[in-house]
Amino acid sequence: AAGIYKIFGRSYAALAGANLVLLWILFIIFERVAARWLDRPGYLFAMGVAILYPFLAREAIMIMSDHLHAVLWFASFAAFMMLKPGWWRGVAFGGLISLATLTRPYSMFIFPLVWIWPSVRRGMQVGNREWAAGVLAFALPFMIWTARNYYWFGRFMPFSSGGAGILLYHTTLEWDYDPYDPKNYRVWVHDQEAKFGGDSAGGLIDLASRRGSQLQQAEAMKRIKQHPDKFIGRVLFHIPKLWVSVGSNEEGRSRALPLLVVYLGGMWLLGLAGAWIVRHDARWHALLLAIAVNWAFLLPFPGEARRTIPMRLPMLLLAGVAASHAWRWWASRRSRRAEPAR
């Protein structure tokens, strides 16, 4: 948003237009990947679902960085899956996933794990030159951003100036309060401000600041040590909650929750089935690892479904694999039944 405002002024129309262009780019990239990696039935299924996917359309109109993160995240893997092996592919993948990680830190462990995984290097024919080019392309944006933060803030900050303390503390509150009861909205906002918002000088501390995050993380760790079983229970609950949006603290549970469970939950199960089908195909291992790492990183924090926006199209590709597999099985069975008995 800052870049758009700097060019066009504080124009919401320009920001909406930029998000719309990003949405078009995302769908064009997805169509190209689906056409290359899926057969005809899988392609038709994936594209049919993609044009009706509610989260993608909704997030494209939100004034947040999640949409940009999703585009960069998927573009990085599209480059890795579509370009020919060589140093340029390494630069494209490493550079794009680095920018995605700087936009949202959820994917910070994806590149290191994917880039050292033996089956990924073997299946995608990653040579030494490409591997080195990818490492440099991934590191360079972080070096520039870290230097910039050190210049302005005087400390080593490779990501944002805040932290994950507020999110971890919210998770610990979930076992004492129903996060989807609007009556408890004060717990998530006003009570936190009262608990962590004052310092020794009587001033206020921004809860999203580095200091605010440190205070909340310390309290969260204290509560987790006191109730480890409850924390494990919340982490397990976050597994589906990351995918199916339940509602919000302020407005309560979504009235469309049954539909979301059936629709989004169904797509999730199809994606998992597709992942199982391609588990031995090393060409898919980079995408499978990225989804697993990103998901695991988010589990300790409140399961907002918008945080999994980058993984929805990759999971839809896997759902396309499962749908194609089911279609071919059904067609084969129907064909056998149609054959005359000998």
Side-chain angles (χ1 to χ4, degrees):
I4 298 297
Y5 288 161
K6 190 170 184 178
I7 298 172
F8 297 100
R10 198 170 184 82
S11 170
Y12 290 112
L15 190 59
N19 273 8
L20 182 59
V21 170
L22 286 174
L23 182 63
W24 288 339
I25 293 173
L26 182 62
F27 271 95
I28 290 171
I29 296 174
F30 179 72
E31 191 278 333
R32 291 291 82 205
V33 174
R36 174 80 67 86
W37 283 71
L38 301 176
D39 61 12
R40 188 64 177 173
Y43 170 83
L44 293 175
F45 174 84
M47 293 308 299
V49 173
I51 61 177
L52 299 173
Y53 216 106
F55 272 105
L56 298 176
R58 179 181 182 274
E59 290 302 320
I61 62 173
M62 303 291 286
I63 306 177
M64 303 180 73
S65 60
D66 294 275
H67 185 49
L68 176 60
H69 177 232
V71 175
L72 292 169
W73 197 103
F74 190 73
S76 69
F77 281 92
F80 192 43
M81 297 166 74
M82 299 287 284
L83 296 177
K84 294 180 180 180
W87 68 270
W88 170 242
R89 185 178 67 170
V91 169
F93 176 55
L96 286 169
I97 196 65
S98 178
L99 294 176
T101 305
L102 287 174
T103 304
R104 289 286 188 180
Y106 318 144
S107 48
M108 68 172 68
F109 298 116
I110 289 178
F111 179 83
L113 186 61
V114 166
W115 219 229
I116 66 172
W117 204 263
S119 65
V120 173
R121 296 194 64 179
R122 182 177 62 253
M124 297 301 288
Q125 302 175 21
V126 179
N128 292 334
R129 288 183 62 189
E130 180 179 353
W131 192 88
V135 170
L136 291 175
F138 180 77
L140 184 59
F142 278 100
M143 294 169 63
I144 296 172
W145 182 251
T146 303
R148 175 260 183 195
N149 286 342
Y150 187 83
Y151 176 81
W152 286 107
F153 302 106
R155 61 167 63 101
F156 176 78
M157 290 189 297
F159 297 105
S160 68
S161 58
I166 186 172
L167 298 176
L168 194 61
Y169 182 64
H170 279 180
T171 294
T172 69
L173 291 177
E174 288 182 352
W175 63 65
D176 288 333
Y177 302 94
D178 181 357
Y180 301 111
D181 185 348
K183 296 179 181 178
N184 294 330
Y185 180 66
R186 60 172 180 79
V187 174
W188 312 100
V189 180
H190 306 302
D191 287 4
Q192 276 191 267
E193 292 176 347
K195 185 178 182 65
F196 301 106
D199 60 13
S200 59
L204 293 178
I205 296 176
D206 182 359
L207 295 180
S209 68
R210 184 181 180 86
R211 177 57 180 160
S213 178
Q214 290 172 339
L215 291 173
Q216 291 168 100
Q217 181 171 321
E219 181 65 19
M221 295 305 299
K222 178 181 176 182
R223 290 170 59 84
I224 291 171
K225 290 178 181 179
Q226 292 173 344
H227 305 285
D229 54 330
K230 293 182 179 179
F231 179 70
I232 293 172
R234 297 316 301 178
V235 168
L236 294 176
F237 179 67
H238 289 171
I239 295 175
K241 185 184 170 190
L242 278 169
W243 199 256
V244 180
S245 180
V246 178
S248 66
N249 303 133
E250 190 173 6
E251 298 178 1
R253 285 174 174 79
S254 172
R255 289 177 293 180
L257 184 57
L259 178 62
L260 292 174
V261 169
V262 173
Y263 180 47
L264 298 179
M267 291 298 103
W268 182 46
L269 293 176
L270 274 177
L272 292 177
W276 178 259
I277 292 170
V278 302
R279 69 189 187 281
H280 295 307
D281 189 341
R283 298 173 304 163
W284 287 90
H285 286 182
L287 206 60
L288 296 179
L289 281 170
I291 293 171
V293 171
N294 213 152
W295 211 304
F297 181 87
L298 293 171
L299 287 179
F301 310 121
E304 295 182 43
R306 68 179 176 87
R307 301 188 188 278
T308 55
I309 293 296
M311 294 182 284
R312 292 184 183 271
L313 288 181
M315 284 291 283
L316 186 51
L317 284 175
L318 295 170
V321 172
S324 174
H325 188 80
W327 169 262
R328 285 186 278 107
W329 174 84
W330 178 82
S332 175
R333 186 175 181 182
R334 185 181 180 185
S335 177
R336 288 197 301 269
R337 286 182 175 180
E339 292 177 357
R342 295 180 180 178

